[in-house]
């Protein structure tokens, strides 16, 4: 059955995700072929947190497919305060053909998807960032040609980005080593889900508290900010806790010589990553950012065409 929403990678099968990645690469190779596929269709983008990449890539992406978008910020709609999520969903489904939403609680996206008859896309919640992970796996495929026999080391907070990378690793059969300080590991429910589902694709997930062990012989070094949006008040404390999880030259020297460095961005240079690593020839962070556009065009087409 055709999926209505893109809320979590774990809701999508290996075959469906593999097809999305192939579509994304085909769209990147030949964008003009798809320029009228969503002609006249409107995407509402609800953004309750700041955004550069997500906003621009969805806006440009839907436009390149023949459609258009509008941005609804927190101050404009006051989701759940001025109007309930259900009422927002019931209004929007009468006027637009898709909703992308970036919000705090993951349940807000789930509710929007439940109440709206039109596709709902998760543009980041406190819990997950599935569009990011799709662009990330697309980028690893481009750089390393395969997701098998590749060690991906995610070093840092067990956050939204980590959760979506984990779900993607399971569905796509990747080897992912996650190293976080104690008490900042990924959500235990996510890890439990992996234990049940990893064998089906040959995924290997390591949850570690040692950045060096994760980086050892890695093909990919990935990091993200230590304090995500909404956790600004914890930033000072986290700077101390995460100090030994910085991706710097010493840590990178543990990885394979041809390792690639990835970061969902925005980066806090000098915290989770040094300039020497993010600006090195190994860094593919801007290719990764560009792939948000292509990966999300594949998602938009799959859901809205
Ligand atoms: N990586 C990412 O989602 O960037 P923005 O927060 O700028 O959208
Ligand atoms: N973990 C980060 C990702 C930003 C794209 C955050 O939630 O702020």
């Amino acid at each position: 059955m055709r999926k209505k929403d893109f809320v979590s990678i774990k809701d999508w099968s290996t075959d469906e995700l593999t097809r999305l990645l192939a579509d994304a690469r085909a769209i990147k190779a030949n964008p003009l072929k798809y320029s009228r596929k969503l002609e006249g269709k409107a995407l509402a983008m609800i953004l309750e947190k700041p955004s550069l990449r997500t906003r621009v890539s969805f806006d440009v992406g839907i436009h390149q497919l023949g459609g258009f978008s509008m941005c609804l910020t927190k101050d404009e709609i006051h989701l759940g305060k001025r109007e309930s999520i259900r009422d927002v969903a019931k209004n929007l489904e009468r006027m637009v053909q898709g909703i992308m939403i970036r919000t705090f609680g993951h349940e807000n996206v789930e509710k929007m998807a439940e109440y709206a008859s039109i596709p709902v896309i998760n543009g980041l919640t406190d819990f997950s960032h599935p569009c990011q992970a799709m662009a990330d796996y697309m980028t690893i495929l481009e750089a390393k040609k395969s997701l098998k026999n590749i060690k991906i080391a995610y070093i840092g907070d067990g956050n939204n980005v980590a959760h979506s990378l984990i779900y993607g690793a399971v569905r796509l059969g990747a080897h992912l080593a996650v190293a976080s300080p104690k008490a900042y590991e990924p959500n235990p429910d996510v890890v439990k889900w992996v234990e049940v589902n990893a064998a089906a694709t040959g995924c290997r997930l390591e949850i570690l508290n040692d950045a060096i062990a994760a980086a050892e012989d890695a093909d990919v070094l990935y990091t993200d900010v230590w304090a995500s949006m909404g956790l600004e008040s914890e930033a000072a404390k986290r700077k101390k806790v995460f100090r030994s999880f910085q991706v710097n030259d010493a840590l990178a020297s543990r990885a394979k010589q041809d390792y690639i460095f990835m970061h969902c961005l925005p980066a806090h240079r000098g915290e989770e990553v040094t300039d020497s690593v993010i600006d090195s020839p190994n860094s593919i962070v801007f290719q990764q950012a560009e792939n948000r556009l292509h990966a999300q065009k594949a998602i938009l087409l799959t859901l809205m065409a």
Side-chain angles (χ1 to χ4, degrees):
M1 213 182 74
R2 184 179 151 138
K3 293 273 187 307
K4 182 177 85 67
D5 309 297
F6 194 73
V7 171
S8 173
I9 286 184
K10 83 173 171 28
D11 303 336
W12 287 60
S13 70
T14 299
D15 283 354
E16 288 167 332
L17 295 170
T18 306
R19 202 170 315 130
L20 269 184
L21 290 176
D23 289 351
R25 297 185 75 184
I27 292 165
K28 183 174 183 176
N30 192 2
L32 290 180
K33 185 175 159 196
Y34 303 87
S35 62
R36 300 181 68 172
K37 298 272 186 203
L38 295 184
E39 200 157 33
K41 295 200 173 170
L43 177 73
M45 307 196 294
I46 300 174
L47 291 169
E48 297 201 294
K49 295 180 180 180
S51 172
L52 174 71
R53 279 146 294 271
T54 304
R55 178 175 180 169
V56 174
S57 55
F58 270 106
D59 192 6
V60 171
I62 185 100
H63 187 81
Q64 288 181 351
L65 295 168
F68 59 100
S69 74
M70 75 225 58
C71 197
L72 307 166
T73 65
K74 191 177 166 67
D75 295 337
E76 280 161 333
I77 60 171
H78 296 280
L79 199 61
K81 295 187 189 78
R82 182 170 186 265
E83 211 161 356
S84 71
I85 293 176
R86 185 175 184 280
D87 283 353
V88 171
K90 291 289 159 206
N91 279 271
L92 286 178
E93 72 183 24
R94 299 290 178 127
M95 301 175 215
V96 302
Q97 286 68 48
I99 300 170
M100 183 277 281
I101 171 167
R102 166 169 290 198
T103 180
F104 291 85
H106 188 73
E107 64 285 356
N108 293 343
V109 179
E110 291 178 331
K111 276 188 208 156
M112 190 69 79
E114 182 189 337
Y115 297 133
S117 58
I118 54 173
V120 172
I121 299 170
N122 176 356
L124 179 147
T125 68
D126 291 345
F127 177 68
S128 66
H129 197 0
C131 295
Q132 180 69 53
M134 291 310 288
D136 297 342
Y137 283 110
M138 177 185 176
T139 309
I140 297 170
L141 264 178
E142 284 179 339
K144 296 289 170 194
K145 312 295 174 220
S146 170
L147 298 176
K148 304 282 178 193
N149 302 316
I150 292 291
K151 180 181 179 186
I152 305 165
Y154 174 93
I155 292 157
D157 192 19
N159 63 13
N160 43 10
V161 168
H163 294 152
S164 291
L165 284 173
I166 292 172
Y167 284 142
V170 169
R171 289 295 188 231
L172 299 167
H175 174 192
L176 178 62
V178 178
S180 318
K182 285 213 167 66
Y184 294 89
E185 296 98 342
N187 184 314
D189 291 339
V190 175
V191 179
K192 261 186 231 135
W193 182 86
V194 175
E195 282 159 15
V196 177
N197 291 282
T201 57
C203 160
R204 181 169 163 214
L205 176 70
E206 299 175 80
I207 301 290
L208 308 165
N209 299 117
D210 179 352
I212 293 174
E216 205 71 62
D217 274 329
D219 298 277
V220 181
L221 293 181
Y222 194 125
T223 191
D224 185 14
V225 293
W226 292 339
S228 285
M229 292 180 277
L231 295 176
E232 289 78 7
S233 65
E234 293 183 22
K237 179 183 162 205
R238 283 171 174 255
K239 258 190 217 178
K240 290 188 194 128
V241 175
F242 281 80
R243 196 170 293 150
S244 60
F245 289 79
Q246 183 186 65
V247 180
N248 51 31
D249 290 327
L251 191 67
S253 73
R254 302 289 184 142
K256 288 200 181 128
Q257 210 161 13
D258 64 346
Y259 84 93
I260 51 174
F261 174 74
M262 298 178 71
H263 192 308
C264 57
L265 305 178
H268 291 175
R269 288 162 175 262
E271 293 183 22
E272 75 275 5
V273 61
T274 55
D275 285 342
S276 59
V277 170
I278 197 171
D279 294 330
S280 75
N282 300 72
S283 173
I284 55 169
V285 295
F286 299 119
Q287 179 181 335
Q288 179 186 0
E290 180 195 325
N291 283 340
R292 294 291 303 280
L293 173 69
H294 311 296
Q296 288 158 196
K297 283 170 78 178
I299 294 167
L300 289 169
L301 273 181
T302 302
L303 298 177
M304 289 173 67

